[in-house]
Amino acid sequence: MKNFSEIKNSYDANILATYGRFPVDFEKGAGCRLFSSDGKEYIDFASGIGVNSVGHSHPKWVDAVARQTHELAHVSNLFYTKPGAILAQKLCEISGMDGVFFCNSGAEAVEGVIKLARKYSFDKYGAGRHNIITLVGSFHGRLGASLRATGQPEKFHKEYFAPFMEGFFHVPANDFSALEKFANENEKNICAFLFEPILGEGGVVPLCEEYLKKAAALCEKNDWLLIADEVQTGIARVGEWFAFQDCKIKPDAVTFAKGIAGGLPLGGFLCGEKVRTTLGAGDHGTTYGGNLICAAAANATLEILEPILSEIKEKGAYICEKIHAMNLSCVKEIRARGLMIGIKLQSVAHTEAVAKLLEAGLVTLPAGADVLRFLPPLTIEKTDIDAGLEILKKTLRGI
Ligand code: PLP
């Protein structure tokens, strides 16, 4: 295939049309730069939706992955492997949790914690106490349970996918009384509260620390599992290893995926002491989960991120300050934690802004109904930030 139109034609002919794609084919990446097949250079403020946390082709990451592919790629979870052991130990250390399960994606991680919550409750209280509370506007994935957990029914719970899995209630975010109501209705049979510390796909909406502290106390009182879905916020994105550490709460389980392996498919969930032994042999599993290459990539990713963790909040604050100083009339509000940044727009559709910025050489993301989202590589340097923000200013000025 010689050029973009041949590649696009092949996609159109052979790949299911489940995505609205932008008209660019990326061929190479280096640091925070991406290159399309026609030689055009782009600054990456999206990192493949929060995945390329160490940028593109980071030499340490490339070396770790290459070395592992030469040694051994995969043996299944019927055996022990060193990269998996190192990764599990490191994840427990940085999260303060007590055990981990590896899978391949964010949705799978969420499916896993839903099983965990139901089994915990079944073991202790018997059948029937299986319902899970999640937030309106949340996104937890597109599989059976994770799709149902997602709090955007009009967008995702299409009637043609019915029947859906039972056992989910959605309550408004940052509204403690709405959550508390369930605690007074025993027949609701709740076993867990599942939340994103910052609603990512829903528009970069952070949950308040006060709300989370009260929610954690309510969960404790009622023995509901407190489960943080950190598929997007986890692995240093917000300037802590996990966003829950910023809110000073301790969940019973935490999901992760996206940025953990810097570009390879790996996800999982961490368990606190209370649920460390809830899932036993045969209760859960997956063929690929945590295979040697993905684990080696994750070990390299964490090693690259550790020394720069303390710079991430500062970089996020720098970006926000610079955008504020641009005084762009289309910017209504900026919501950010570390390098997870949402710019609420007015007078221009978020998808139109993303398309215009892409044309001008800056890769960004839409979120929610009207938010322009930045999830740049966590390794991004000031020079790339400044170059990206210059494109933002020129493109959005006057809109
Ligand atoms: N949970 C959250 C918070 C997410 O942001 C996402 C994806 O955006 C998922 C789950 C699903 O992850 P995946 O697309 O890897 O299945």
Side-chain angles (χ1 to χ4, degrees), residues 81-212:
T81 69
K82 190 166 159 187
I86 293 171
L87 179 59
Q89 195 173 323
K90 186 71 187 171
L91 282 170
C92 288
E93 181 196 311
I94 61 177
S95 64
M97 303 294 276
D98 298 285
V100 64
F101 177 87
F102 292 125
C103 58
N104 313 287
S105 69
E108 278 182 56
V110 172
E111 299 281 326
V113 288
I114 288 168
K115 283 176 75 176
L116 176 81
R118 289 187 170 169
K119 171 91 173 12
Y120 171 79
S121 193
F122 185 96
D123 288 348
K124 204 159 165 187
Y125 301 99
R129 191 179 174 275
H130 54 241
N131 291 319
I132 294 173
I133 305 176
T134 73
L135 297 174
V136 173
S138 62
F139 182 77
H140 297 291
R142 290 170 177 272
L143 303 181
S146 51
L147 175 69
R148 194 63 187 85
T150 291
Q152 302 180 59
E154 55 309 317
K155 192 166 167 196
F156 293 104
H157 303 166
K158 304 286 190 195
E159 59 185 346
Y160 39 74
F161 294 133
F164 293 101
M165 183 182 268
E166 281 177 31
F168 293 89
F169 295 105
H170 308 298
V171 297
N174 284 325
D175 178 350
F176 180 67
S177 55
L179 184 64
E180 202 178 22
K181 217 168 133 258
F182 283 84
N184 303 322
E185 296 175 12
N186 285 333
E187 76 281 6
K188 290 281 198 260
N189 283 316
I190 305 301
C191 67
F193 172 52
L194 168 68
F195 66 96
E196 291 170 84
I198 304 166
L199 278 69
E201 300 305 308
V204 192
V205 181
L207 299 187
C208 324
E209 190 175 319
E210 193 58 25
Y211 171 75
L212 281 175

Side-chain angles (χ1 to χ4, degrees), residues 270-303:
L270 286 148
C271 293
E273 201 184 354
K274 188 151 106 175
V275 288
R276 171 69 175 85
T277 57
T278 297
L279 296 175
D283 283 331
H284 200 43
T286 170
T287 303
Y288 286 112
N291 90 9
L292 289 95
I293 295 180
C294 295
N299 287 328
T301 301
L302 296 178
E303 269 177 40

